Amino acid sequence: MSEYSIEFQGQTYATDVQGFLKQRLVWSPELAVHMAKLDGVDLTHEHWEIINYFRDYYDDYNIPPPMRMVIRVFKKAFGEDNANSRYLLQLFPEGATKAASKFAGLPKPKNCK
Amino acid sequence: MVINRSWHEQVALFEPLCFAQSGDTILLLEDAVLAMQSPITLASFLAKCQANQISVAALLDDCRLRGIDNKYPQIDLVDYTGYVDLVIAHDKQVAW
Amino acid sequence: MNVNILVTGALYSSQSAYSALRFCQAAVAAGHSISQVFFYQDGVTQANLYSLPLDDEFDAVNSWVRFSQQTSTPLVVCVSAGERRGLMSDEQVLEHHLGRNAAIDSNGSAHSQFSVAGLGVLHQASLDSERMVTFK
Amino acid sequence: MSAKKYLYVITKAPYSNAAGIEALDAILIGASFELDVSVLFLHNGVFQLKDNQDIGVKDSSLPNVKQFTKTYKALEDFGVNQLYVQDQSLDARGLSESDLIVPAKLIDSQSIKVLVSEHDQVFTF
């Protein structure tokens, strides 16, 4: 079986083939910045708003939040006009749920549908 | 000895009865047909079904496989075609 | 009528493969159609290509394959339930880089007559069919 | 046309098997189809909602268990509003409403008959 990992500050972090951390507890904000860079994303204040929401929500419910909740939180933070799903997609071109989960150190979301 | 089964797990013959309504059919399938070897439990089950206008059927093929004879006029023996007919005749099936 | 079948019982630890197959055959013989057979929970084990029962025993996997070929009935394995239990297509094995030998690309554990899809397919079929029958 | 009504029944206790996890997967898909989704906890299924579940020390060298039952608390966010618990099942297991991690409607066998008959599709786990 092939193994995947990320090297960061002298440490090796095991991931799956798509770069999701195998162990949630090893996550740090610095590692998140590095993981995002590997995907060509520079984390901004807006990204962090979403990533922190994903981490809190996952802590409470063991599942990433549904998109309509994410948009609600986003609107609260950045106003009705800016915060929509298209803007979220600009922030996370890979898809907000997938990319925010990844940078937040959460497991890959199920994609059953 | 080690036990890994919950105290609460038990024979489920009476459970579907709690949720079936008049006009429904309870089909005994696979190991459920073994209930036909427990006359006392089965008699009270059949009486309750009758009182609530719930029909009871058993799958003939599963009875035969296990050497079970039907001694109960209240139980309809059906083959797989009869099972299909029951599914068509009722608007939904619930597998307990 | 159009009947959607859901199978959740494990191969050889339950009678569900046999019961469901007999039901499907009887339904087709009576002029009904089976919209699909969806394998969920332990039912995914009924798609295992590497199941090799003794010759005189019931061969659930190949019986499903034959039924599917004869009646053009789709057999669908739930992707997440399958991945939990090591049941996957060639493509999934490649996707997860699980192959023992990169030169051999056809080592998925699901028989190729079964497709792998999400629970959305089960729900869509249940909405499109007139009946759903579950075998546990 | 109004949304179809789907009922998901959970009858098994958590952790000894994947029934709860796989029921949740199905419930979330049902909700994503914008169906009218209800969940009924029956028999040992009521233990899914028991409070004070503790998965123990978080030690990465030990096999880990996911406390998936937390997700029941999020069902409302995903559009699932109706959670039912059979009162008898709770009683028989020494539990009451106050032991549950999420508010659920207590329901007796007679009302379950109605519940089952009112739904278009019933999945049992």
Side-chain angles (χ1 to χ4, degrees):
Chain A
M1 193 195 285
S2 321
E3 297 289 344
Y4 292 83
S5 60
I6 294 172
E7 300 290 332
F8 180 59
Q9 293 182 342
Q11 294 263 25
T12 304
Y13 299 94
T15 68
D16 75 358
V17 60
Q18 292 185 51
F20 285 83
L21 287 183
K22 288 274 187 197
Q23 293 204 353
R24 195 156 67 88
L25 298 178
V26 303
W27 183 90
S28 66
E30 296 74 27
L31 182 59
V33 171
H34 181 69
M35 288 168 76
K37 275 221 181 79
L38 291 176
D39 282 2
V41 178
D42 278 320
L43 294 187
T44 62
H45 177 51
E46 281 118 314
H47 288 104
W48 276 108
E49 193 75 29
I50 302 295
I51 290 171
N52 288 330
Y53 179 60
F54 268 67
R55 284 187 61 81
D56 290 345
Y57 197 93
Y58 196 90
D59 268 346
D60 290 342
Y61 304 122
N62 261 336
I63 191 172
M67 197 35 79
R68 61 186 181 85
M69 300 284 288
V70 179
I71 292 171
R72 194 186 298 169
V73 168
F74 206 50
K75 277 182 177 165
K76 223 179 190 172
F78 300 104
E80 287 284 330
D81 299 336
N82 298 330
N84 54 41
S85 44
R86 197 186 308 153
Y87 189 41
L88 273 175
L89 204 60
Q90 280 171 23
L91 286 176
F92 299 102
E94 228 189 323
T97 302
K98 193 175 170 193
S101 291
K102 189 199 276 187
F103 305 153
L106 309 180
K108 186 166 64 186
K110 279 175 201 145
N111 191 10
C112 270
K113 204 174 159 186
Chain B
M1 280 189 282
V2 172
I3 306 175
N4 76 341
R5 309 304 290 265
S6 151
W7 169 260
H8 301 284
E9 278 177 47
Q10 40 188 281
V11 182
L13 186 58
F14 286 93
E15 311 284 33
L17 189 54
C18 298
F19 313 121
Q21 304 226 62
S22 154
D24 287 350
T25 300
I26 297 179
L27 172 65
L28 305 177
L29 189 70
E30 303 179 359
D31 284 351
V33 303
L34 301 177
M36 291 159 83
Q37 288 294 110
S38 308
I40 297 172
T41 322
L42 192 66
S44 87
F45 171 76
L46 290 173
K48 281 186 183 154
C49 288
Q50 205 157 23
N52 292 297
Q53 282 107 41
I54 296 162
S55 315
V56 181
L59 194 76
L60 175 65
D61 303 68
D62 281 333
C63 291
R64 282 207 183 132
L65 265 178
R66 294 163 174 80
I68 307 285
D69 283 330
N70 182 18
K71 304 179 209 85
Y72 305 89
Q74 306 97 308
I75 300 182
D76 246 347
L77 286 185
V78 299
D79 58 10
Y80 283 96
T81 307
Y83 183 3
V84 172
D85 292 340
L86 281 172
V87 165
I88 303 303
H90 295 81
D91 70 333
K92 63 174 171 280
Q93 179 243 32
V94 182
W96 291 108
Chain C
M1 268 191 192
N2 215 318
V3 187
N4 177 35
I5 305 287
L6 171 61
V7 178
T8 64
L11 189 63
Y12 299 112
S13 301
S14 77
Q15 202 189 317
S16 73
Y18 179 82
S19 299
L21 262 159
R22 291 290 306 271
F23 180 92
C24 289
Q25 285 168 340
V28 170
H32 304 292
S33 65
I34 306 295
S35 47
Q36 69 170 22
V37 184
F38 192 92
F39 298 86
Y40 191 41
Q41 299 186 271
D42 288 350
V44 300
T45 55
Q46 297 185 25
N48 194 332
L49 171 66
Y50 302 122
S51 159
L52 274 183
L54 293 175
D55 286 343
D56 55 353
E57 290 172 6
F58 171 53
D59 185 345
V61 180
N62 282 305
S63 301
W64 277 125
V65 169
R66 268 196 305 278
F67 174 76
S68 170
Q69 285 167 343
Q70 284 161 3
T71 60
S72 308
T73 304
L75 307 174
V76 187
V77 181
C78 172
V79 55
S80 55
E83 287 186 352
R84 276 187 193 107
R85 294 167 179 84
L87 214 294
M88 34 191 124
S89 64
D90 302 349
E91 293 74 27
Q92 282 165 285
V93 170
L94 282 175
E95 182 193 326
H96 294 288
H97 296 257
L98 295 171
R100 269 168 294 184
N101 180 347
I104 305 169
D105 60 358
S106 56
N107 47 10
S109 51
H111 192 290
S112 58
Q113 189 70 21
F114 294 76
S115 61
V116 180
L119 283 166
V121 170
L122 168 66
H123 283 74
Q124 193 57 55
S126 79
L127 287 168
D128 295 341
S129 308
E130 290 151 288
R131 295 285 183 276
M132 185 179 84
V133 185
T134 305
F135 292 89
K136 299 176 89 128
Chain D
M1 205 182 80
S2 63
K4 289 251 180 192
K5 291 164 76 84
Y6 276 36
L7 177 66
Y8 300 81
V9 185
I10 306 180
T11 65
K12 296 195 174 75
Y15 304 114
S16 60
N17 58 69
I21 291 176
E22 295 187 323
L24 265 170
D25 284 353
I27 290 163
L28 291 169
I29 292 295
S32 76
F33 269 65
E34 293 177 3
L35 301 166
D36 189 342
V37 171
S38 302
V39 187
L40 168 64
F41 297 87
L42 206 63
H43 314 151
N44 274 348
V46 300
F47 284 121
Q48 301 267 351
L49 298 185
K50 168 91 177 64
D51 61 359
N52 294 326
Q53 293 177 28
D54 181 1
I55 55 169
V57 262
K58 287 194 174 174
D59 178 343
S60 56
S61 69
L62 297 171
N64 74 311
V65 169
K66 174 169 171 165
Q67 198 177 329
F68 70 94
T69 57
K70 281 176 167 183
T71 303
Y72 292 116
K73 293 190 284 184
L75 284 181
E76 199 183 341
D77 293 345
F78 288 84
V80 178
N81 295 315
Q82 298 89 359
L83 301 186
Y84 299 93
V85 173
Q86 190 197 25
D87 52 5
Q88 260 181 302
S89 303
L90 275 185
D91 274 355
R93 288 158 183 83
L95 297 172
S96 67
E97 239 179 316
S98 60
D99 297 311
L100 305 181
I101 52 170
V102 61
K105 203 171 165 189
L106 259 55
I107 185 170
D108 61 16
S109 299
Q110 196 56 40
S111 311
I112 292 176
K113 284 186 192 191
V114 180
L115 197 69
V116 168
S117 68
E118 278 176 356
H119 282 78
D120 297 298
Q121 204 74 261
V122 181
F123 292 96
T124 52
F125 290 91

